[in-house]
Amino acid sequence: MDPFDAGAGGLLRQPKAVWATAGASVVAFMGIGLVDPILPSIAQGLDATAGQVSLLFTSYFLITAFAMLVTGFVSSRIGGRRTLLLGLALVVVFAGLAGTSDTVGQLVGYRAGWGLGNALFVSTALAVIVGAAAGGSAAAILLYESALGLGMACGPLLGALLGDASWRYPFFGTAALMAIGFLGITVFLKEQPKPARRTSLLDPLKALGHGGLASVAASAFFYNYTFFTVLAFTPFVLDMTPYASGAVFFAWGLLLAVFSVLVAPRLQRRFGSLKVLGGSLLLLAADVLVLGYGGHATAVVCTILSGAFIGVNNTVYTELALGVSDAPRPVASAGYNFVRWFAAAAAPFFAPRIEEWTDIHVPFVVAAVTAVLGAVVVAVRREALTHEAAETEPRHAAEDGVTVLAN
């Protein structure tokens, strides 16, 4: 069945509960890149250095990584609806508090609380959307991936529009939008049955004992370092107004969405997941290297272009992580995300410090090297990564109530 079909169960014919959850998902994913165009403004407003402000990403993703061990434990006990509402409530509170910060330390702390709420929400949203969707899961997954791409694209744009007046407004705006999402889910989403088996805190770590899943996680760790060097460090290098920076990352996000949802599946069908992933990682490495050494216009073009490679990588990594092992897919996803989000926390911390120790080019050299290392892991561990489930369509990932965090 064509997921775009407007008939029963098609993408455009979903219950209000699905649209409410998808809408809140857009805002949740917006929170990842929201601060991108206003990082320099935050640094100026709070009299902070680039390294201090970059901790907004580090605290957010460090908490997100550890939250991967908790989300399945929580949702398997209190149910998907309550987990979503708990996550949304935490985001509303901590995003609002972030806007009141007087020091960079307070802002970093509130951002950590925001990360916990966002992790609880987005790691449960796909399973809830699939459970509430009409018809098969293909349209539901496409809707979720579209929400992810739209959120990643619109986050920087919203940050720029609101941040042009004050760096505080994007935080207040996010809190308001998430409050609307909270009300929508409260009204339209009914509680779904709890999983037959409760997830323990150690299940995701045990799943990493599988060689294939461990290999995917290791490769994704190196890749995510590259990804978040682009996302968290490049705004300081571009040194543009919030509007201009927001426009750059909006275009970046659009490419990410298009290549994740439309291009990556076609490339996988033609060339296979591992060839596509290895090639995309090497192209990303070349892109960030040129970004680091090119002029300003070149840096802008390479920043936008990186969205295409990141979109492809996100899709392929997620499918590999969900299909390469025999672990239940929510558990495999949690273990995989637990590892890779540590790199998302590390890159914003180390990139500005590497610049301080050397020069502005070297952080991008390191990012290029980590992308190459990700490709090397794929090549060396190719046999462990080859599994009949690894090449399956994404729709199979939802059949076990998969939890995927922000790709």
Side-chain angles (χ1 to χ4, degrees):
M1 181 187 72
D2 183 357
F4 288 99
D5 187 358
L11 181 65
L12 302 179
R13 303 279 295 181
Q14 295 295 331
K16 292 179 180 179
V18 172
W19 288 112
T21 307
S25 297
V26 172
V27 182
F29 292 124
M30 285 169 60
I32 295 177
L34 178 83
V35 300
D36 246 37
I38 58 172
L39 286 175
S41 299
I42 294 173
Q44 183 178 3
L46 294 178
D47 192 25
T49 66
Q52 289 173 320
V53 173
S54 68
L55 292 176
L56 291 173
F57 284 100
T58 297
S59 63
Y60 182 93
F61 288 114
L62 191 60
I63 294 299
T64 295
F66 283 107
M68 287 298 96
L69 303 180
V70 177
T71 53
F73 178 88
V74 172
S75 63
S76 64
R77 285 162 175 77
I78 69 174
R81 181 176 181 272
R82 291 179 181 176
T83 303
L84 292 180
L85 293 176
L86 175 60
L88 287 171
L90 288 172
V91 172
V92 170
V93 169
F94 284 105
L97 288 173
T100 68
S101 300
D102 294 320
T103 67
V104 69
Q106 290 178 350
L107 185 55
V108 168
Y110 293 142
R111 181 77 169 164
W114 183 346
L116 175 60
N118 217 48
L120 287 170
F121 176 82
V122 300
S123 64
T124 310
L126 178 55
V128 170
I129 288 175
V130 170
S137 61
I141 291 176
L142 182 59
L143 185 62
Y144 178 86
E145 292 290 342
S146 300
L148 187 156
L150 184 61
M152 292 292 284
C154 291
L157 191 61
L158 178 66
L161 293 174
L162 297 179
D164 188 59
S166 170
W167 66 263
R168 299 180 186 273
Y169 290 172
F171 297 105
F172 294 140
T174 299
L177 289 173
M178 282 304 227
I180 294 172
F182 183 96
L183 292 176
I185 289 178
T186 300
V187 172
F188 295 116
L189 180 64
K190 296 180 180 180
E191 185 59 82
Q192 296 178 308
K194 297 178 184 178
R197 177 183 176 275
R198 291 184 173 184
T199 301
S200 78
L201 294 174
L202 295 179
D203 282 350
L205 296 178
K206 293 177 181 177
L208 290 170
H210 184 279
L213 182 60
S215 299
V216 175
S219 179
F221 175 89
F222 291 119
Y223 155 66
N224 264 28
Y225 185 94
T226 308
F227 178 178
F228 285 93
T229 296
V230 173
L231 190 63
F233 183 66
T234 302
F236 293 105
V237 176
L238 297 179
D239 193 23
M240 303 168 76
T241 65
Y243 275 123
S245 183
V248 168
F249 278 96
F250 175 69
W252 169 87
L254 284 180
L255 274 186
L256 188 156
V258 169
F259 275 74
S260 177
V261 176
L262 300 178
V263 178
R266 288 174 170 81
L267 291 176
Q268 287 175 273
R269 285 194 294 270
R270 182 168 182 178
F271 300 107
S273 292
L274 298 186
K275 288 182 180 178
V276 169
L277 182 58
S280 183
L281 286 169
L282 294 177
L283 289 172
L284 178 62
D287 180 79
V288 297
L289 198 59
V290 174
L291 192 165
Y293 280 93
H296 188 267
T298 300
V300 169
V301 171
C302 288
T303 298
I304 295 172
L305 183 60
S306 70
F309 307 126
I310 289 170
V312 170
N313 293 339
N314 285 350
T315 295
V316 179
Y317 270 120
T318 299
E319 292 185 33
L320 284 174
L322 298 174
V324 76
S325 76
D326 296 327
R329 286 168 176 170
V331 174
S333 177
Y336 158 75
N337 282 300
F338 172 72
V339 173
R340 74 184 184 112
W341 287 120
F342 277 109
F349 178 83
F350 284 111
R353 284 158 181 78
I354 292 172
E355 180 198 7
E356 293 173 4
W357 300 331
T358 55
D359 59 48
I360 199 169
H361 307 297
V362 177
F364 293 101
V365 174
V366 174
V369 169
T370 55
V372 171
L373 288 175
V376 168
V377 172
V378 171
V380 172
R381 298 290 295 168
R382 185 180 187 87
E383 190 171 327
L385 292 171
T386 303
H387 189 281
E388 61 182 0
E391 304 290 338
T392 58
E393 290 292 328
R395 62 178 177 271
H396 297 304
E399 295 171 358
D400 298 323
V402 63
T403 58
V404 181
L405 178 60
N407 281 335

